Amino acid sequence: MAVATEIQVRDKLYIGGEWVDPSGSETLDVVNSTTEEVIGRIPQSTPQDVDKAVAAARQAFESWSQTSLKDRADCMRQISGALAARSEEIGALVSQELGMPLKLSVQIQAGLPTMTFGSMPQLLEHVVWEQEVGNSQIVREPVGVVGAITPWNYPLHQIALKVAPAIAVGCTVVLKPSEVAPLNAFVLAEIIDEVGLPAGVFNLVTGTGPVVGEAIASHAGIDMVSFTGSTRAGKRVSELAAQSVKPVALELGGKSANVILDDADLQAAVTDGMAKCYLNSGQTCSALTRMLVPRAKLEEAERIAAAVAEQTKVGDPFEEDTRLGPLVSDVQRERVRGYIQKGIDEGAKLVAGGAEAPDGLDRGYFVRPTVFSDVKNGMTIAQEEIFGPVLSIIPYDDEEDAIRIANDSVYGLAGGVWSGDEERAKRVARRIRTGQIEINGGVFNPLAPFGGYKQSGHGREAGSFALEEFLQVKSMQL
Ligand code: NDP
């Protein structure tokens, strides 16, 4: 796969079905996380650009919300097909932006958005658009203009999770992607333009959260905000959105526990848990970053985990045998190294990795795959989201203790339970307060509802639940 060497200069915004000049002249650089070189440049939009995009989306809503399901389903199919045709390009772009190994990037970063758009026609058929309750006819209607704000870690996937269901049910969208990994969003805008979606149904404004994100969250012309990102920014978005009482869907951070019960296959559980912690260099909101093991098995779990970490090949995401690429940015690398040092300072036992750069990788935002053992759940590394390849192994005394530790977190996004007895695992899983949980390494299901409890957010994305997020309910008394 050839990697583009020229800087991708994107100097226009996609508003009202056209590529238009931004109102200001400021730009933001996009950096390759492996080479640390600038690979792209995008506009830093202004609140005036947001105004323009909102006006276009409002105008488009009147007619788009009245189009037939069939027409909207056809658009979804076409977008999905065009994404599939450009999957190698999208995968390579995201690998450069944030460092995921290329093969995985094509599968996940390009494959999931293709699937999300492609699943819409069928999901639309199953929405209960109308029903009768006594003398009332209940109808479901699109919520209106949706402001979508997305992060960098699975950039196009998170965009697709919002844009596809929103426009499928008849909403129009103003999207602000992450400034850190925004180039893939321009590919989607190109595709939407080629497919010929009516002007204003989808609008792209790029720039920073405090300027463009806040302009979207507080805009009176936006009917709903769908946000994915950190809990910190999610709270700010909610505060701003409250001024105009608009609904907000939040997909936020996590600190998920993987509970390995005493009758589990330890080798399989630890190995799988490590993969779920290290996916995308640990930059995954649902990463299983706390591994809970019976105290009597702590040493054995440690040995397995250390061996897996040491065998994990860190390097260039474009090399075939790389399992772990760099982190997305310098800021992120320094943050993660700081957490590793904090773990050492707070007395956790370092059994693999460490805060220093991996050998031979002095360029690129690399971090060593790290494992801490004998971690106490009150330690910073067990409470805060690190967003890097850092696993905390925490011993527990019995099943009740494991459940207590798993739930001892402000977050409630994901989790896992391992047991030789599936019914026992499910019993424990029901008591863990998270939006999703996998049993014995159950594989990710892109059509299952995804979202959090507690400070991991509210609302659900993916599959049929995603459509509900963008619908209002009206009752007509007859
Ligand atoms: P951030 O919260 O920093 O950014 C997310 C998005 O919000 C970006 O587009 C960002 O803009 C924007 N933003 C930042 N500040 C504001 C603000 N004040 N007002 C409005 N918008 C703002 O998160 P990251 O991009 O660093 O992503 C990592 C985080 O996302 C992690 O905490 C992770 O857990 C979470 N996440 C959650 C998922 C879930 O489904 N639960 C999925 C994936 C990630 P800018 O471009 O300037 O950064």
Side-chain angles (χ1 to χ4, degrees), residues 50-248:
V50 174
D51 286 342
K52 223 189 269 179
V54 173
R58 289 219 76 79
Q59 200 180 347
F61 179 71
E62 292 304 320
S63 50
W64 181 249
S65 57
Q66 301 303 316
T67 48
S68 70
L69 281 185
K70 185 187 167 307
D71 286 353
R72 297 206 297 268
D74 284 346
C75 290
M76 297 290 119
R77 276 191 209 94
Q78 288 178 51
I79 295 171
S80 176
L83 284 168
R86 294 180 72 173
S87 62
E88 295 283 328
E89 174 195 349
I90 293 167
L93 209 48
V94 178
S95 286
Q96 289 176 72
E97 288 176 323
L98 63 88
M100 178 181 262
L102 178 65
K103 204 167 148 200
L104 260 190
S105 185
V106 173
Q107 269 171 21
I108 296 177
Q109 306 279 8
L112 284 178
T114 304
M115 199 240 84
T116 299
F117 277 97
S119 67
M120 289 300 142
Q122 213 189 354
L123 293 172
L124 279 175
E125 283 175 20
H126 291 99
V127 175
V128 181
W129 293 100
E130 298 201 5
Q131 67 195 107
E132 288 186 9
V133 177
N135 68 321
S136 301
Q137 192 173 351
I138 316 291
V139 293
R140 286 200 161 68
E141 299 179 337
V143 71
V145 175
V146 173
I149 304 174
T150 54
W152 46 261
N153 57 338
Y154 291 87
L156 195 54
H157 171 51
Q158 278 136 357
I159 290 170
L161 283 176
K162 301 182 188 314
V163 172
I167 60 181
V169 300
C171 295
T172 56
V173 173
V174 175
L175 167 70
K176 189 209 92 66
S178 159
E179 62 169 294
V180 181
L183 298 175
N184 52 86
F186 284 86
V187 175
L188 178 65
E190 277 173 4
I191 287 173
I192 284 176
D193 190 53
E194 280 157 22
V195 160
L197 225 62
V201 171
F202 170 82
N203 305 276
L204 172 68
V205 281
T206 54
T208 61
V211 176
V212 183
E214 296 204 6
I216 289 175
S218 52
H219 206 292
I222 286 186
D223 298 297
M224 173 189 173
V225 177
S226 179
F227 173 88
T228 300
S230 62
T231 297
R232 173 197 54 78
K235 287 177 183 170
R236 177 74 182 137
V237 165
S238 299
E239 280 166 12
L240 294 170
Q243 300 310 311
S244 49
V245 199
K246 55 172 79 81
V248 179

Side-chain angles (χ1 to χ4, degrees), residues 127-463:
V127 175
V128 181
W129 293 100
E130 298 201 5
Q131 67 195 107
E132 288 186 9
V133 177
N135 68 321
S136 301
Q137 192 173 351
I138 316 291
V139 293
R140 286 200 161 68
E141 299 179 337
V143 71
V145 175
V146 173
I149 304 174
T150 54
W152 46 261
N153 57 338
Y154 291 87
L156 195 54
H157 171 51
Q158 278 136 357
I159 290 170
L161 283 176
K162 301 182 188 314
V163 172
I167 60 181
V169 300
C171 295
T172 56
V173 173
V174 175
L175 167 70
K176 189 209 92 66
S178 159
E179 62 169 294
V180 181
L183 298 175
N184 52 86
F186 284 86
V187 175
L188 178 65
E190 277 173 4
I191 287 173
I192 284 176
D193 190 53
E194 280 157 22
V195 160
L197 225 62
V201 171
F202 170 82
N203 305 276
L204 172 68
V205 281
T206 54
T208 61
V211 176
V212 183
E214 296 204 6
I216 289 175
S218 52
H219 206 292
I222 286 186
D223 298 297
M224 173 189 173
V225 177
S226 179
F227 173 88
T228 300
S230 62
T231 297
R232 173 197 54 78
K235 287 177 183 170
R236 177 74 182 137
V237 165
S238 299
E239 280 166 12
L240 294 170
Q243 300 310 311
S244 49
V245 199
K246 55 172 79 81
V248 179
L250 297 175
E251 299 286 347
L252 308 175
K255 192 73 201 177
S256 300
N258 191 15
V259 178
I260 302 177
L261 294 173
D262 53 7
D263 59 349
D265 174 342
L266 195 66
Q267 178 76 39
V270 173
T271 307
D272 183 84
M274 299 276 296
K276 305 276 168 63
C277 177
Y278 286 176
L279 178 67
N280 203 20
S281 295
Q283 304 169 122
T284 302
C285 52
S286 54
L288 302 181
T289 50
R290 291 184 295 149
M291 182 179 283
L292 275 50
V293 302
R295 197 173 293 282
K297 298 196 175 183
L298 184 62
E299 274 180 30
E300 200 183 338
E302 236 170 58
R303 264 199 309 276
I304 300 168
V308 173
E310 270 142 28
Q311 283 156 17
T312 302
K313 167 89 195 313
V314 184
D316 185 336
F318 285 85
E319 282 173 12
E320 190 71 27
D321 59 345
T322 295
R323 293 290 163 267
L324 220 62
L327 298 190
V328 72
S329 63
D330 190 23
V331 171
Q332 192 64 14
R333 174 183 55 185
E334 292 317 305
R335 234 183 113 231
V336 172
R337 284 185 176 169
Y339 272 116
I340 296 173
Q341 191 54 50
K342 186 103 181 159
I344 295 167
D345 295 345
E346 288 187 358
K349 179 177 171 191
L350 183 71
V351 296
E356 59 286 355
D359 296 336
L361 291 169
D362 43 10
R363 197 173 67 146
Y365 309 125
F366 294 97
V367 170
R368 283 174 187 262
T370 296
V371 178
F372 282 106
S373 184
D374 208 9
V375 175
K376 313 281 178 292
N377 201 53
M379 289 178 179
T380 307
I381 55 167
Q383 286 295 321
E384 295 186 11
E385 185 177 47
I386 297 176
F387 239 50
V390 182
L391 177 73
S392 292
I393 306 182
I394 304 171
Y396 66 81
D397 296 325
D398 55 24
E399 197 177 292
E400 282 305 312
D401 194 33
I403 294 167
R404 182 191 60 75
I405 295 171
N407 285 330
D408 178 19
S409 170
V410 295
Y411 294 113
L413 189 57
V417 183
W418 284 78
S419 168
D421 173 355
E422 191 176 290
E423 288 309 312
R424 181 184 177 205
K426 286 204 282 195
R427 246 188 354 258
V428 171
R430 283 175 192 275
R431 295 186 54 200
I432 296 178
R433 306 281 299 158
T434 62
Q436 42 272 312
I437 191 149
E438 45 184 78
I439 308 290
N440 289 332
V443 294
F444 175 69
N445 175 358
L447 290 176
F450 189 94
Y453 286 19
K454 302 194 266 181
Q455 291 192 28
S456 290
H458 46 75
R460 291 293 177 270
E461 295 195 312

